[in-house]
Amino acid sequence: MSTKTNILITGVTGYIGGSVLDRFLKRPDFSTFKITVLVRSPEKAKKLEAHNVHAVVGSHSDVPLMESLAADSDVVIATADADNYEAAIATLQGLKKRHAATGKAPILIHTSGTGVLTDHAAGDYATETIYDDSNPDQIETLADTQLHRNVDLEIVRADKEGYLKSYIILPSTIYGIASNVLVDQGIQNPHSIQVPALIRAALDRGQAGTVGAGKNLWPDVDIDDVADLYLVLFDAIRKDPSVPGHGREGYYFGENGEHNMYEVGKAIGDALVALGQSATPDPTPFTKEETDKYFGGTYLGTNSRARANRSRAIGWKPIKTKADFLASIRPEVEALAKARKA
Ligand SMILES: NC(=O)c1ccc[n+]([C@@H]2O[C@H](COP(=O)([O-])OP(=O)(O)OC[C@H]3O[C@@H](n4cnc5c(N)ncnc54)[C@H](OP(=O)(O)O)[C@@H]3O)[C@@H](O)[C@H]2O)c1
């Protein structure tokens, strides 16, 4: 029997997952792992095989496939879709089988997001409420209907049943253009979600915008710091599984700064003016038609306030700060403006 640790990673062609896989590829102990990745593109699977990972072509919505891949894994790192309930349940079922076969509780590191903390501010105010990842009582005050929560609750329930150990990473607004060999080879998406969506909307309307007055607050975190969080957690669990919290005590926020959305709009506006793409640097509120068209609603007007105390307690040391976040916006505008013209 192989003595290697079987690790399944989903979402490796994505912004977060590719950055996490790249960290594994660079580890000196890489050969002690059997890494399996699940991807939808056969071309990308082929390119990934060249990195000595086992690439399976398929969708995580394929329940029998997802279940059988999880059943072969000691560790599952899920980064594909925080909200795919069926994929999460299939993963749990597979890991339950793994436990039955080995007698050991496998590890699930799932990706959620601080979107779970959001309110209905619509950009009109900054909330006073700040969530602390080391305070499970406070996290349990969140309504079951909050974004991501249906999946997160199933995962925590599985941990309570005892057949796996669950760890949920909740990044906030991740920023920065990912840069690594997987990006260079066209395997990984290098762009994040929130700020690029605001930039694409601004490019389209010729002016930066905010939802409402943009007074709402969000935390931010650099993509390399996020990738580090996955690896720091992975190493902490393997070093001494009794140390990092799991289950209801296994929420790990990713944040190292906080901004309001007006600041983001203004930084986009400044970049647009510098590039000759807008006559004014000042953001204006998006109309209802615009928020529906560009973002499918007022999500970017919500507050999400978080402190990553548990993540820091396991040794995570994020480097980049709010100043880096704001400085990342201009290169992102330049890259997306160029891509738009191409
Ligand atoms: N970026 C952020 O700021 C942020 C912050 C907090 C939470 N999150 C959450 O983290 C998750 C990943 O975010 P991301 O920024 O890395 O997104 P992304 O770049 O769009 O990556 C998504 C990845 O999931 C894969 N995927 C999607 N559906 C799949 C399916 N049915 N079967 C197999 N693979 C599938 C995609 O594969 P393809 O290449 O085939 O499309 C891609 O590899 C999302 O749920 C997001 O909401 C993101």
Side-chain angles (χ1 to χ4, degrees):
M1 238 178 83
S2 165
T3 53
K4 292 192 177 195
T5 304
N6 288 357
I7 303 175
L8 171 68
I9 314 180
T10 63
V12 298
T13 56
Y15 181 59
I16 299 176
S19 302
V20 171
L21 175 61
D22 176 63
R23 287 287 194 281
F24 273 103
L25 299 180
K26 288 176 177 152
R27 285 175 69 110
D29 59 355
F30 175 74
S31 63
T32 66
F33 308 127
K34 180 185 173 214
I35 297 185
T36 300
V37 297
L38 175 65
V39 291
R40 294 190 284 193
S41 152
E43 292 76 31
K44 291 186 178 181
K46 212 167 159 193
K47 288 184 185 174
L48 284 159
E49 291 271 356
H51 289 281
N52 296 319
V53 300
H54 173 50
V56 175
V57 178
S59 167
H60 66 177
S61 302
D62 178 339
V63 169
L65 174 65
M66 196 60 223
E67 197 173 312
S68 89
L69 289 173
D72 280 339
S73 306
D74 304 302
V75 180
V76 174
I77 303 179
T79 73
D81 182 350
D83 301 310
N84 192 312
Y85 185 84
E86 287 70 31
I89 297 298
T91 304
L92 297 178
Q93 287 306 323
L95 291 174
K96 197 172 198 172
K97 286 185 182 165
R98 182 75 178 175
H99 176 252
T102 64
K104 289 189 204 148
I107 291 163
L108 172 58
I109 300 178
H110 174 77
T111 305
S112 176
T114 65
V116 72
L117 312 176
T118 50
D119 61 12
H120 301 285
D124 292 341
Y125 58 88
T127 184
E128 298 283 305
T129 308
I130 302 177
Y131 290 88
D132 172 354
D133 59 359
S134 65
N135 184 345
D137 292 339
Q138 185 196 27
I139 290 174
E140 284 174 359
T141 64
L142 291 167
D144 295 2
T145 49
Q146 287 288 98
L147 184 66
H148 312 315
R149 196 76 179 131
N150 60 336
V151 171
D152 294 359
L153 284 170
E154 292 289 355
I155 291 170
V156 171
R157 192 171 300 132
D159 180 284
K160 198 172 175 192
E161 282 183 37
Y163 62 85
L164 57 75
K165 285 196 161 42
S166 77
Y167 307 85
I168 301 181
I169 292 184
L170 301 95
S172 51
T173 299
I174 312 176
Y175 64 87
I177 301 172
S179 162
N180 62 47
V181 66
L182 301 176
V183 172
D184 293 345
Q185 294 179 353
I187 297 171
Q188 177 194 339
N189 163 34
H191 295 286
S192 190
I193 299 174
Q194 276 195 7
V195 174
L198 285 162
I199 292 171
R200 289 188 187 101
L203 286 167
D204 198 51
R205 76 202 281 265
Q207 186 171 7
T210 51
V211 174
K215 291 181 180 170
N216 54 307
L217 295 167
W218 264 78
D220 47 71
V221 63
D222 171 74
I223 182 61
D224 289 324
D225 285 329
V226 169
D228 282 344
L229 176 55
Y230 285 78
L231 274 295
V232 166
L233 176 58
F234 175 80
D235 283 330
I237 299 163
R238 282 162 52 92
K239 188 173 173 205
D240 184 350
S242 68
V243 174
H246 60 95
R248 74 182 288 275
E249 301 199 1
Y251 292 96
Y252 295 84
F253 291 160
E255 63 76 23
N256 200 34
E258 191 178 61
H259 57 269
N260 72 41
M261 286 303 217
Y262 185 85
E263 294 173 292
V264 176
K266 183 69 170 63
I268 293 172
D270 287 340
L272 288 181
V273 170
L275 291 174
Q277 299 268 342
S278 178
T280 167
D282 298 321
T284 51
F286 293 110
T287 63
K288 173 160 182 352
E289 289 69 32
E290 285 175 326
T291 53
D292 288 349
K293 174 179 162 191
Y294 295 125
F295 319 116
T298 55
Y299 181 67
L300 293 173
T302 58
N303 285 288
S304 166
R305 303 194 68 190
R307 296 291 181 264
N309 293 323
R310 187 182 296 282
S311 296
R312 290 188 176 85
I314 58 163
W316 181 54
K317 294 187 179 69
I319 297 165
K320 300 279 181 70
T321 62
K322 176 180 177 178
D324 296 296
F325 169 61
L326 292 175
S328 77
I329 292 176
R330 178 152 174 186
E332 191 81 61
V333 171
E334 286 171 357
L336 295 177
K338 203 168 151 197
R340 197 163 181 261
K341 279 196 197 134

